[in-house]
Amino acid sequence: MKLRNRILNYEHWISSNFEIDEPKIYQRELHKLFSVNIDAYTYYRNWLYTLLLNQDEKETFIEFKNILDEKGGTIEHNQLVKFFIENNSSEIFSQKRLNVFEIFSQLPNSDLSQNICFLYQQYFEIEILFWVLYSFLYLNDKNVIETDLINFKDRKGKLKKGVLIDNLKTKLAPYSLVSKLFNTAYNVKIRNIIGHNNYKIVGDIVISLDDDTIRVSKDEILKAIYSIQSLNNYLLNYFSNKSISNDNLENEGVLGISFSLEDDLPVLSVFQLSCFYFLGDLKWGKKVVFNINKNQVKTIFGINNSMTGVYSSELEQLWFNHLRNEKTLKVYLTPIVPRNEEKDFIDLDIGEFVVMNNDEKIINLEYEINKFTE
C-alpha cells in the first residue's frame, strides 16, 4: 500500500474519534511515538502531512507560513501566536484537527449532489482562518495586534464574511501562491449561487435559478472545497507546530536496531526517523549496555533510548562472542523514512522503511554485557 494511503488510513481513523474499526494497514510508528512523547508524536504527524503535498502545495504552504512568520521573533508576534494557541481558539483547532485530513479521494468520481454543495457551505462558514489571516496581515502592516475585527462585524456582532473575504483578497494579492489558493477557495460565483440556496443541479453543473447564465461546474466546486480545506490544513499544521518545543526531540523517533558484522567485526545499527535525526545530534549514553535475560536482550544506547529484542544462541555465537574481544563497539546512526513503493527497504517490527545511507553517522562507544539467570 502506498505511503499516502497508509497515512490517510490513520488520519481517517483518528477523525472518526476511533469510532470506525482500526485499519489493518497504517503508519504504526505513530502509536509508538504517541505512547512515549506527545510532542514527538505531534511533530512527526505534522511532518507526515507534508509528505501528502505535491510540489506546488509545498511551495504554497511555505509561503503561507512565511506570511504568518513575517514578524517572527518580535514581542508582538509571540503574543499573537500565544493568543491563538491559548485562548478559546485552541478548542476550535482541537475540534477541527479531527477532520483536518479529510481528502476528497472519491468525490471526483461521484455525481454532483446536494451533499457536495452543502459541504461547500459548511466549509465556507469556518471563520478561524479569516480571523488568523487578518490578524497576522494586520500585524505585518501596522506592527499592532488586532484580533477583535470590529470593523467587520454587524450590530449583532456577527462577522460579515463577504466584506472580510474581499479585504483579505486585497491584502493577500502580493503573495501570489496563497492569493491564488484563497481566490479559488472563496469563489464569489459559487458562494452567491450555493450560499443562498438558489440553484438547481443539472448533470455536473449548478445553475442559478435567477439567471441560468450563471453556472458553476462540479470541478470548480471540488477545487473550491479542496482549497478551503488546504488553507485550514496549513493553519492547523502551523499552530500545531508552534504549540510544541523541538528543543529536546533529537533522541526521539528511534524505531529499531540491528546486529551485524563488518569485516568480521560486530557493529550496531540504530535507525532513527529522519525528521528527528536532522534536528540535532542524538545524545548517547557513556556506553552501550546489553542486558540479557533468558531469550531477550535489552539494548540501552542513548539518553532514554533502549530497544528490546530476541536473544538466541546464534546471536551469542555470531555477534556477542566477537564483541567480547573488542574494547569498543562501532555504532551506525542511520536516518530512515517511511517506505512508499521503493524496492530497497528494511523491515522493522513496526513497519517498512527506507534507509538514507549517505547521511549516517558513526561513533565508537564502550559497551557492557550483563547476563542474568533470573
Side-chain angles (χ1 to χ4, degrees), residues 42-176:
T42 302
Y43 180 78
Y44 181 58
R45 189 179 176 202
N46 288 337
W47 180 79
L48 278 179
Y49 165 70
T50 65
L51 301 186
L52 295 175
L53 306 179
N54 61 39
Q55 188 58 40
D56 288 342
E57 290 171 328
K58 288 178 181 178
E59 292 175 2
T60 304
F61 186 28
I62 290 171
E63 186 177 78
F64 182 90
K65 290 188 291 185
N66 288 341
I67 293 172
L68 270 55
D69 278 336
E70 187 172 313
K71 295 295 181 178
T74 65
I75 294 175
E76 292 80 8
H77 182 269
N78 292 339
Q79 289 175 340
L80 190 56
V81 170
K82 185 177 180 181
F83 170 83
F84 281 112
I85 289 176
E86 293 186 353
N87 80 345
N88 292 335
S89 59
S90 63
E91 257 182 68
I92 300 172
F93 290 138
S94 177
Q95 293 165 5
K96 281 167 54 57
R97 183 62 166 168
L98 294 176
N99 299 309
V100 67
F101 284 90
E102 187 66 34
I103 302 295
F104 300 97
S105 57
Q106 296 179 353
L107 284 180
N109 300 317
S110 305
D111 293 332
L112 186 59
S113 65
Q114 295 284 353
N115 287 338
I116 294 177
C117 295
F118 181 63
L119 186 61
Y120 177 79
Q121 285 181 279
Q122 286 183 306
Y123 271 54
F124 190 93
E125 295 304 318
I126 298 173
E127 296 180 353
I128 186 67
L129 176 69
F130 309 141
W131 188 13
V132 170
L133 279 177
Y134 182 83
S135 296
F136 278 88
L137 287 166
Y138 193 89
L139 176 67
N140 295 345
D141 183 39
K142 306 290 186 182
N143 288 315
V144 174
I145 294 175
E146 159 59 7
T147 58
D148 294 329
L149 275 66
I150 296 298
N151 293 333
F152 298 97
K153 293 180 180 178
D154 61 21
R155 293 179 180 179
K156 295 181 179 180
K158 186 178 179 180
L159 193 65
K160 295 185 285 188
K161 284 190 284 291
V163 178
L164 181 54
I165 287 171
D166 288 341
N167 182 276
L168 287 172
K169 285 182 177 180
T170 301
K171 283 183 166 56
L172 287 172
Y175 310 96
S176 59

Side-chain angles (χ1 to χ4, degrees), residues 107 109-121 194 197 199-206 216-218 221-222 225:
L107 284 180
N109 300 317
S110 305
D111 293 332
L112 186 59
S113 65
Q114 295 284 353
N115 287 338
I116 294 177
C117 295
F118 181 63
L119 186 61
Y120 177 79
Q121 285 181 279
I194 295 178
N197 198 26
Y199 63 89
K200 61 182 177 180
I201 298 175
V202 180
D204 279 346
I205 302 291
V206 174
V216 179
S217 70
K218 170 187 168 182
I221 296 173
L222 291 183
I225 294 173

Side-chain angles (χ1 to χ4, degrees), residues 257-258 262 266-271 282 284 287-288 290 299-302 319 323 328-334 360-367:
I257 61 174
S258 70
E262 188 177 271
V267 296
L268 179 71
S269 295
V270 177
F271 301 105
L282 186 141
W284 299 97
K287 62 177 71 174
V288 179
F290 300 98
T299 306
I300 305 168
F301 51 87
W319 202 83
L323 179 60
T328 60
L329 171 63
K330 188 176 184 178
V331 181
Y332 286 93
L333 178 62
T334 305
E360 64 188 5
K361 300 172 185 175
I362 302 173
I363 185 172
N364 289 288
L365 294 171
E366 294 182 358
Y367 66 89

Side-chain angles (χ1 to χ4, degrees), residues 345-353:
F345 63 94
I346 58 173
D347 195 354
L348 302 179
D349 291 341
I350 207 162
E352 297 171 344
F353 296 85

Side-chain angles (χ1 to χ4, degrees), residues 65 68-69 77 81 234-242:
K65 290 188 291 185
L68 270 55
D69 278 336
H77 182 269
V81 170
Y234 295 167
L235 183 71
L236 292 168
N237 193 287
Y238 174 86
F239 279 104
S240 182
N241 272 327
K242 290 291 185 182

